[in-house]
Amino acid sequence: MVANNLITNSGIIDDRYASYEKAAITVMGSKVVSSATYSGGSGGLPVGEYPCDTVTVKNNLLDLKEGSGVRVEHSKTISVDSNVIYCTKTSATANYYGVVFRDGVNPANITKNYISNPAVNGIHIDSCTLNYISGNEIISAGKYGMG
């Protein structure tokens, strides 16, 4: 569980070691499409899905300067509930969201979140299976409340 956190000024510095999208909270499993063998015969992970499983993101206060509030990818049994997400400076040219679920998240619930001023969509769903989205309040989305 990721709960009861105050995260401010999120996204103001790029990660020079990785090209990940900026986000205050990220829950991300992996999909390995090819396995590697290293010198000495040791190998990497076998080809397959390696999801994060049974994660709840709840009661967090997020103040974003750049990036998404809660980003979830390649995961299952996820709940994002009762978070307050302020997008105070995000660029309208970037694809940043209040809450974003992508790439095989299932099943998932998004409930009772307050999302203010997301650059694009308040809640963005792409290639996922949801149980329900309910009771969210989205204010001044750049494009769609939910997309």
Side-chain angles (χ1 to χ4, degrees):
M1 178 178 292
V2 180
N4 303 314
N5 297 287
L6 168 63
I7 299 174
T8 61
N9 292 320
S10 177
I12 58 174
I13 299 173
D14 288 329
D15 184 344
R16 67 182 181 180
Y17 301 105
S19 61
Y20 302 118
E21 288 179 26
K22 297 174 185 177
I25 296 173
T26 299
V27 177
M28 185 166 47
S30 293
K31 181 178 183 178
V32 177
V33 294
S34 65
S35 188
T37 301
Y38 301 99
S39 62
S42 67
L45 289 172
V47 171
E49 298 277 340
Y50 298 91
C52 288
D53 191 359
T54 314
V55 177
T56 298
V57 178
K58 184 174 186 169
N59 294 330
N60 297 287
L61 175 58
L62 312 177
D63 175 20
L64 310 173
K65 300 304 180 200
E66 191 79 24
S68 295
V70 178
R71 177 176 156 224
V72 182
E73 296 184 19
H74 298 293
S75 299
K76 61 183 184 177
T77 316
I78 303 297
S79 177
V80 176
D81 178 55
S82 301
N83 298 285
V84 175
I85 302 169
Y86 294 107
C87 307
T88 57
K89 190 184 169 190
T90 57
S91 167
T93 60
N95 286 329
Y96 295 133
Y97 312 100
V99 175
V100 56
F101 279 29
R102 288 193 192 118
D103 301 326
V105 176
N106 63 79
N109 303 312
I110 304 171
T111 57
K112 299 182 273 183
N113 297 286
Y114 175 86
I115 302 167
S116 176
N117 297 314
V120 182
N121 302 337
I123 297 173
H124 182 80
I125 308 301
D126 185 9
S127 303
C128 300
T129 303
L130 296 176
N131 280 349
Y132 57 89
I133 299 174
S134 176
N136 298 286
E137 183 176 355
I138 301 166
I139 307 297
S140 300
K143 192 169 186 182
Y144 302 116
M146 293 184 210

